[in-house]
mmCIF file with all atom_site columns, all heavy atoms in Angstrom:
data_model
loop_
_atom_site.group_PDB
_atom_site.id
_atom_site.type_symbol
_atom_site.label_atom_id
_atom_site.label_alt_id
_atom_site.label_comp_id
_atom_site.label_asym_id
_atom_site.label_entity_id
_atom_site.label_seq_id
_atom_site.pdbx_PDB_ins_code
_atom_site.Cartn_x
_atom_site.Cartn_y
_atom_site.Cartn_z
_atom_site.occupancy
_atom_site.B_iso_or_equiv
_atom_site.pdbx_formal_charge
_atom_site.auth_seq_id
_atom_site.auth_comp_id
_atom_site.auth_asym_id
_atom_site.auth_atom_id
_atom_site.pdbx_PDB_model_num
ATOM 1   N N   . LEU A 1 237 ? 2.577  -13.910 -1.489 1.00 97.00 ? 440 LEU A N   1
ATOM 2   C CA  . LEU A 1 237 ? 1.245  -13.889 -0.880 1.00 97.00 ? 440 LEU A CA  1
ATOM 3   C C   . LEU A 1 237 ? 1.038  -14.970 0.183  1.00 97.00 ? 440 LEU A C   1
ATOM 4   O O   . LEU A 1 237 ? -0.077 -15.157 0.651  1.00 97.00 ? 440 LEU A O   1
ATOM 5   C CB  . LEU A 1 237 ? 0.183  -14.082 -1.974 1.00 97.00 ? 440 LEU A CB  1
ATOM 6   C CG  . LEU A 1 237 ? 0.043  -12.942 -2.986 1.00 97.00 ? 440 LEU A CG  1
ATOM 7   C CD1 . LEU A 1 237 ? -0.759 -13.400 -4.197 1.00 97.00 ? 440 LEU A CD1 1
ATOM 8   C CD2 . LEU A 1 237 ? -0.613 -11.729 -2.352 1.00 97.00 ? 440 LEU A CD2 1
ATOM 9   N N   . THR A 1 238 ? 2.102  -15.671 0.559  1.00 98.00 ? 441 THR A N   1
ATOM 10  C CA  . THR A 1 238 ? 1.957  -16.766 1.519  1.00 98.00 ? 441 THR A CA  1
ATOM 11  C C   . THR A 1 238 ? 2.051  -16.254 2.963  1.00 98.00 ? 441 THR A C   1
ATOM 12  O O   . THR A 1 238 ? 2.982  -15.516 3.314  1.00 98.00 ? 441 THR A O   1
ATOM 13  C CB  . THR A 1 238 ? 3.027  -17.844 1.275  1.00 98.00 ? 441 THR A CB  1
ATOM 14  O OG1 . THR A 1 238 ? 2.832  -18.389 -0.036 1.00 98.00 ? 441 THR A OG1 1
ATOM 15  C CG2 . THR A 1 238 ? 2.931  -18.972 2.300  1.00 98.00 ? 441 THR A CG2 1
ATOM 16  N N   . TYR A 1 239 ? 1.090  -16.648 3.755  1.00 97.00 ? 442 TYR A N   1
ATOM 17  C CA  . TYR A 1 239 ? 1.028  -16.246 5.175  1.00 97.00 ? 442 TYR A CA  1
ATOM 18  C C   . TYR A 1 239 ? 2.216  -16.831 5.939  1.00 97.00 ? 442 TYR A C   1
ATOM 19  O O   . TYR A 1 239 ? 2.610  -17.977 5.732  1.00 97.00 ? 442 TYR A O   1
ATOM 20  C CB  . TYR A 1 239 ? -0.281 -16.757 5.775  1.00 97.00 ? 442 TYR A CB  1
ATOM 21  C CG  . TYR A 1 239 ? -0.530 -16.321 7.210  1.00 97.00 ? 442 TYR A CG  1
ATOM 22  C CD1 . TYR A 1 239 ? -1.144 -15.107 7.487  1.00 97.00 ? 442 TYR A CD1 1
ATOM 23  C CD2 . TYR A 1 239 ? -0.154 -17.137 8.277  1.00 97.00 ? 442 TYR A CD2 1
ATOM 24  C CE1 . TYR A 1 239 ? -1.379 -14.713 8.795  1.00 97.00 ? 442 TYR A CE1 1
ATOM 25  C CE2 . TYR A 1 239 ? -0.380 -16.743 9.580  1.00 97.00 ? 442 TYR A CE2 1
ATOM 26  C CZ  . TYR A 1 239 ? -0.991 -15.538 9.840  1.00 97.00 ? 442 TYR A CZ  1
ATOM 27  O OH  . TYR A 1 239 ? -1.219 -15.140 11.138 1.00 97.00 ? 442 TYR A OH  1
ATOM 28  N N   . ASP A 1 240 ? 2.779  -16.021 6.842  1.00 95.00 ? 443 ASP A N   1
ATOM 29  C CA  . ASP A 1 240 ? 3.940  -16.442 7.635  1.00 95.00 ? 443 ASP A CA  1
ATOM 30  C C   . ASP A 1 240 ? 3.545  -16.495 9.105  1.00 95.00 ? 443 ASP A C   1
ATOM 31  O O   . ASP A 1 240 ? 3.318  -15.456 9.739  1.00 95.00 ? 443 ASP A O   1
ATOM 32  C CB  . ASP A 1 240 ? 5.095  -15.452 7.428  1.00 95.00 ? 443 ASP A CB  1
ATOM 33  C CG  . ASP A 1 240 ? 6.354  -15.851 8.193  1.00 95.00 ? 443 ASP A CG  1
ATOM 34  O OD1 . ASP A 1 240 ? 6.343  -16.905 8.863  1.00 95.00 ? 443 ASP A OD1 1
ATOM 35  O OD2 . ASP A 1 240 ? 7.346  -15.088 8.124  1.00 95.00 ? 443 ASP A OD2 1
ATOM 36  N N   . PHE A 1 241 ? 3.453  -17.707 9.666  1.00 93.00 ? 444 PHE A N   1
ATOM 37  C CA  . PHE A 1 241 ? 3.047  -17.867 11.065 1.00 93.00 ? 444 PHE A CA  1
ATOM 38  C C   . PHE A 1 241 ? 4.073  -17.306 12.042 1.00 93.00 ? 444 PHE A C   1
ATOM 39  O O   . PHE A 1 241 ? 3.752  -17.035 13.197 1.00 93.00 ? 444 PHE A O   1
ATOM 40  C CB  . PHE A 1 241 ? 2.797  -19.351 11.378 1.00 93.00 ? 444 PHE A CB  1
ATOM 41  C CG  . PHE A 1 241 ? 1.501  -19.879 10.850 1.00 93.00 ? 444 PHE A CG  1
ATOM 42  C CD1 . PHE A 1 241 ? 1.457  -20.582 9.653  1.00 93.00 ? 444 PHE A CD1 1
ATOM 43  C CD2 . PHE A 1 241 ? 0.308  -19.645 11.518 1.00 93.00 ? 444 PHE A CD2 1
ATOM 44  C CE1 . PHE A 1 241 ? 0.259  -21.066 9.151  1.00 93.00 ? 444 PHE A CE1 1
ATOM 45  C CE2 . PHE A 1 241 ? -0.904 -20.108 11.034 1.00 93.00 ? 444 PHE A CE2 1
ATOM 46  C CZ  . PHE A 1 241 ? -0.922 -20.821 9.842  1.00 93.00 ? 444 PHE A CZ  1
ATOM 47  N N   . GLU A 1 242 ? 5.313  -17.125 11.588 1.00 91.00 ? 445 GLU A N   1
ATOM 48  C CA  . GLU A 1 242 ? 6.366  -16.604 12.470 1.00 91.00 ? 445 GLU A CA  1
ATOM 49  C C   . GLU A 1 242 ? 6.390  -15.082 12.524 1.00 91.00 ? 445 GLU A C   1
ATOM 50  O O   . GLU A 1 242 ? 7.082  -14.500 13.352 1.00 91.00 ? 445 GLU A O   1
ATOM 51  C CB  . GLU A 1 242 ? 7.743  -17.124 12.001 1.00 91.00 ? 445 GLU A CB  1
ATOM 52  C CG  . GLU A 1 242 ? 7.866  -18.644 11.950 1.00 91.00 ? 445 GLU A CG  1
ATOM 53  C CD  . GLU A 1 242 ? 7.588  -19.291 13.292 1.00 91.00 ? 445 GLU A CD  1
ATOM 54  O OE1 . GLU A 1 242 ? 8.063  -18.752 14.323 1.00 91.00 ? 445 GLU A OE1 1
ATOM 55  O OE2 . GLU A 1 242 ? 6.870  -20.308 13.326 1.00 91.00 ? 445 GLU A OE2 1
ATOM 56  N N   . ASP A 1 243 ? 5.638  -14.441 11.632 1.00 91.00 ? 446 ASP A N   1
ATOM 57  C CA  . ASP A 1 243 ? 5.614  -12.972 11.555 1.00 91.00 ? 446 ASP A CA  1
ATOM 58  C C   . ASP A 1 243 ? 4.376  -12.460 12.291 1.00 91.00 ? 446 ASP A C   1
ATOM 59  O O   . ASP A 1 243 ? 3.242  -12.727 11.874 1.00 91.00 ? 446 ASP A O   1
ATOM 60  C CB  . ASP A 1 243 ? 5.586  -12.535 10.089 1.00 91.00 ? 446 ASP A CB  1
ATOM 61  C CG  . ASP A 1 243 ? 5.598  -11.015 9.911  1.00 91.00 ? 446 ASP A CG  1
ATOM 62  O OD1 . ASP A 1 243 ? 5.594  -10.296 10.935 1.00 91.00 ? 446 ASP A OD1 1
ATOM 63  O OD2 . ASP A 1 243 ? 5.593  -10.554 8.759  1.00 91.00 ? 446 ASP A OD2 1
ATOM 64  N N   . VAL A 1 244 ? 4.573  -11.724 13.370 1.00 87.00 ? 447 VAL A N   1
ATOM 65  C CA  . VAL A 1 244 ? 3.435  -11.241 14.178 1.00 87.00 ? 447 VAL A CA  1
ATOM 66  C C   . VAL A 1 244 ? 2.567  -10.258 13.399 1.00 87.00 ? 447 VAL A C   1
ATOM 67  O O   . VAL A 1 244 ? 1.412  -10.006 13.778 1.00 87.00 ? 447 VAL A O   1
ATOM 68  C CB  . VAL A 1 244 ? 3.911  -10.577 15.493 1.00 87.00 ? 447 VAL A CB  1
ATOM 69  C CG1 . VAL A 1 244 ? 4.593  -11.593 16.384 1.00 87.00 ? 447 VAL A CG1 1
ATOM 70  C CG2 . VAL A 1 244 ? 4.835  -9.389  15.209 1.00 87.00 ? 447 VAL A CG2 1
ATOM 71  N N   . TYR A 1 245 ? 3.105  -9.677  12.326 1.00 86.00 ? 448 TYR A N   1
ATOM 72  C CA  . TYR A 1 245 ? 2.335  -8.714  11.539 1.00 86.00 ? 448 TYR A CA  1
ATOM 73  C C   . TYR A 1 245 ? 1.663  -9.356  10.321 1.00 86.00 ? 448 TYR A C   1
ATOM 74  O O   . TYR A 1 245 ? 0.958  -8.679  9.578  1.00 86.00 ? 448 TYR A O   1
ATOM 75  C CB  . TYR A 1 245 ? 3.236  -7.567  11.075 1.00 86.00 ? 448 TYR A CB  1
ATOM 76  C CG  . TYR A 1 245 ? 3.818  -6.771  12.218 1.00 86.00 ? 448 TYR A CG  1
ATOM 77  C CD1 . TYR A 1 245 ? 5.166  -6.888  12.547 1.00 86.00 ? 448 TYR A CD1 1
ATOM 78  C CD2 . TYR A 1 245 ? 3.024  -5.926  12.989 1.00 86.00 ? 448 TYR A CD2 1
ATOM 79  C CE1 . TYR A 1 245 ? 5.709  -6.167  13.623 1.00 86.00 ? 448 TYR A CE1 1
ATOM 80  C CE2 . TYR A 1 245 ? 3.548  -5.207  14.050 1.00 86.00 ? 448 TYR A CE2 1
ATOM 81  C CZ  . TYR A 1 245 ? 4.893  -5.339  14.357 1.00 86.00 ? 448 TYR A CZ  1
ATOM 82  O OH  . TYR A 1 245 ? 5.426  -4.635  15.407 1.00 86.00 ? 448 TYR A OH  1
ATOM 83  N N   . SER A 1 246 ? 1.880  -10.651 10.108 1.00 92.00 ? 449 SER A N   1
ATOM 84  C CA  . SER A 1 246 ? 1.279  -11.319 8.953  1.00 92.00 ? 449 SER A CA  1
ATOM 85  C C   . SER A 1 246 ? -0.246 -11.287 9.072  1.00 92.00 ? 449 SER A C   1
ATOM 86  O O   . SER A 1 246 ? -0.803 -11.465 10.151 1.00 92.00 ? 449 SER A O   1
ATOM 87  C CB  . SER A 1 246 ? 1.778  -12.761 8.868  1.00 92.00 ? 449 SER A CB  1
ATOM 88  O OG  . SER A 1 246 ? 1.641  -13.254 7.556  1.00 92.00 ? 449 SER A OG  1
ATOM 89  N N   . ASP A 1 247 ? -0.914 -11.060 7.943  1.00 93.00 ? 450 ASP A N   1
ATOM 90  C CA  . ASP A 1 247 ? -2.358 -10.833 7.940  1.00 93.00 ? 450 ASP A CA  1
ATOM 91  C C   . ASP A 1 247 ? -2.980 -11.646 6.803  1.00 93.00 ? 450 ASP A C   1
ATOM 92  O O   . ASP A 1 247 ? -2.602 -11.474 5.635  1.00 93.00 ? 450 ASP A O   1
ATOM 93  C CB  . ASP A 1 247 ? -2.623 -9.341  7.737  1.00 93.00 ? 450 ASP A CB  1
ATOM 94  C CG  . ASP A 1 247 ? -4.091 -8.962  7.830  1.00 93.00 ? 450 ASP A CG  1
ATOM 95  O OD1 . ASP A 1 247 ? -4.945 -9.860  7.734  1.00 93.00 ? 450 ASP A OD1 1
ATOM 96  O OD2 . ASP A 1 247 ? -4.376 -7.762  7.990  1.00 93.00 ? 450 ASP A OD2 1
ATOM 97  N N   . PRO A 1 248 ? -3.944 -12.544 7.104  1.00 94.00 ? 451 PRO A N   1
ATOM 98  C CA  . PRO A 1 248 ? -4.544 -13.360 6.046  1.00 94.00 ? 451 PRO A CA  1
ATOM 99  C C   . PRO A 1 248 ? -5.357 -12.553 5.032  1.00 94.00 ? 451 PRO A C   1
ATOM 100 O O   . PRO A 1 248 ? -5.667 -13.059 3.957  1.00 94.00 ? 451 PRO A O   1
ATOM 101 C CB  . PRO A 1 248 ? -5.456 -14.330 6.818  1.00 94.00 ? 451 PRO A CB  1
ATOM 102 C CG  . PRO A 1 248 ? -5.752 -13.635 8.108  1.00 94.00 ? 451 PRO A CG  1
ATOM 103 C CD  . PRO A 1 248 ? -4.515 -12.861 8.429  1.00 94.00 ? 451 PRO A CD  1
ATOM 104 N N   . LEU A 1 249 ? -5.695 -11.307 5.361  1.00 90.00 ? 452 LEU A N   1
ATOM 105 C CA  . LEU A 1 249 ? -6.375 -10.457 4.385  1.00 90.00 ? 452 LEU A CA  1
ATOM 106 C C   . LEU A 1 249 ? -5.403 -9.963  3.314  1.00 90.00 ? 452 LEU A C   1
ATOM 107 O O   . LEU A 1 249 ? -5.809 -9.548  2.230  1.00 90.00 ? 452 LEU A O   1
ATOM 108 C CB  . LEU A 1 249 ? -7.027 -9.258  5.071  1.00 90.00 ? 452 LEU A CB  1
ATOM 109 C CG  . LEU A 1 249 ? -8.084 -9.570  6.132  1.00 90.00 ? 452 LEU A CG  1
ATOM 110 C CD1 . LEU A 1 249 ? -8.733 -8.290  6.622  1.00 90.00 ? 452 LEU A CD1 1
ATOM 111 C CD2 . LEU A 1 249 ? -9.123 -10.533 5.609  1.00 90.00 ? 452 LEU A CD2 1
ATOM 112 N N   . LEU A 1 250 ? -4.110 -9.999  3.633  1.00 93.00 ? 453 LEU A N   1
ATOM 113 C CA  . LEU A 1 250 ? -3.079 -9.597  2.683  1.00 93.00 ? 453 LEU A CA  1
ATOM 114 C C   . LEU A 1 250 ? -2.375 -10.824 2.108  1.00 93.00 ? 453 LEU A C   1
ATOM 115 O O   . LEU A 1 250 ? -2.126 -10.902 0.903  1.00 93.00 ? 453 LEU A O   1
ATOM 116 C CB  . LEU A 1 250 ? -2.044 -8.685  3.359  1.00 93.00 ? 453 LEU A CB  1
ATOM 117 C CG  . LEU A 1 250 ? -2.579 -7.476  4.143  1.00 93.00 ? 453 LEU A CG  1
ATOM 118 C CD1 . LEU A 1 250 ? -1.419 -6.662  4.701  1.00 93.00 ? 453 LEU A CD1 1
ATOM 119 C CD2 . LEU A 1 250 ? -3.457 -6.602  3.268  1.00 93.00 ? 453 LEU A CD2 1
ATOM 120 N N   . SER A 1 251 ? -2.029 -11.763 2.960  1.00 95.00 ? 454 SER A N   1
ATOM 121 C CA  . SER A 1 251 ? -1.327 -12.993 2.562  1.00 95.00 ? 454 SER A CA  1
ATOM 122 C C   . SER A 1 251 ? -2.330 -14.136 2.638  1.00 95.00 ? 454 SER A C   1
ATOM 123 O O   . SER A 1 251 ? -2.431 -14.811 3.656  1.00 95.00 ? 454 SER A O   1
ATOM 124 C CB  . SER A 1 251 ? -0.137 -13.240 3.492  1.00 95.00 ? 454 SER A CB  1
ATOM 125 O OG  . SER A 1 251 ? 0.703  -12.110 3.570  1.00 95.00 ? 454 SER A OG  1
ATOM 126 N N   . TYR A 1 252 ? -3.081 -14.349 1.558  1.00 95.00 ? 455 TYR A N   1
ATOM 127 C CA  . TYR A 1 252 ? -4.254 -15.215 1.652  1.00 95.00 ? 455 TYR A CA  1
ATOM 128 C C   . TYR A 1 252 ? -3.994 -16.675 1.271  1.00 95.00 ? 455 TYR A C   1
ATOM 129 O O   . TYR A 1 252 ? -4.923 -17.478 1.250  1.00 95.00 ? 455 TYR A O   1
ATOM 130 C CB  . TYR A 1 252 ? -5.422 -14.649 0.849  1.00 95.00 ? 455 TYR A CB  1
ATOM 131 C CG  . TYR A 1 252 ? -5.103 -14.232 -0.575 1.00 95.00 ? 455 TYR A CG  1
ATOM 132 C CD1 . TYR A 1 252 ? -5.009 -15.172 -1.595 1.00 95.00 ? 455 TYR A CD1 1
ATOM 133 C CD2 . TYR A 1 252 ? -4.906 -12.895 -0.896 1.00 95.00 ? 455 TYR A CD2 1
ATOM 134 C CE1 . TYR A 1 252 ? -4.719 -14.803 -2.886 1.00 95.00 ? 455 TYR A CE1 1
ATOM 135 C CE2 . TYR A 1 252 ? -4.625 -12.505 -2.186 1.00 95.00 ? 455 TYR A CE2 1
ATOM 136 C CZ  . TYR A 1 252 ? -4.530 -13.461 -3.183 1.00 95.00 ? 455 TYR A CZ  1
ATOM 137 O OH  . TYR A 1 252 ? -4.246 -13.083 -4.472 1.00 95.00 ? 455 TYR A OH  1
#
Side-chain angles (χ1 to χ4, degrees):
L440 293 165
T441 298
Y442 185 87
D443 182 1
F444 283 98
E445 302 302 318
D446 182 358
V447 295
Y448 298 107
S449 202
D450 185 343
L452 300 185
L453 309 182
S454 307
Y455 49 79

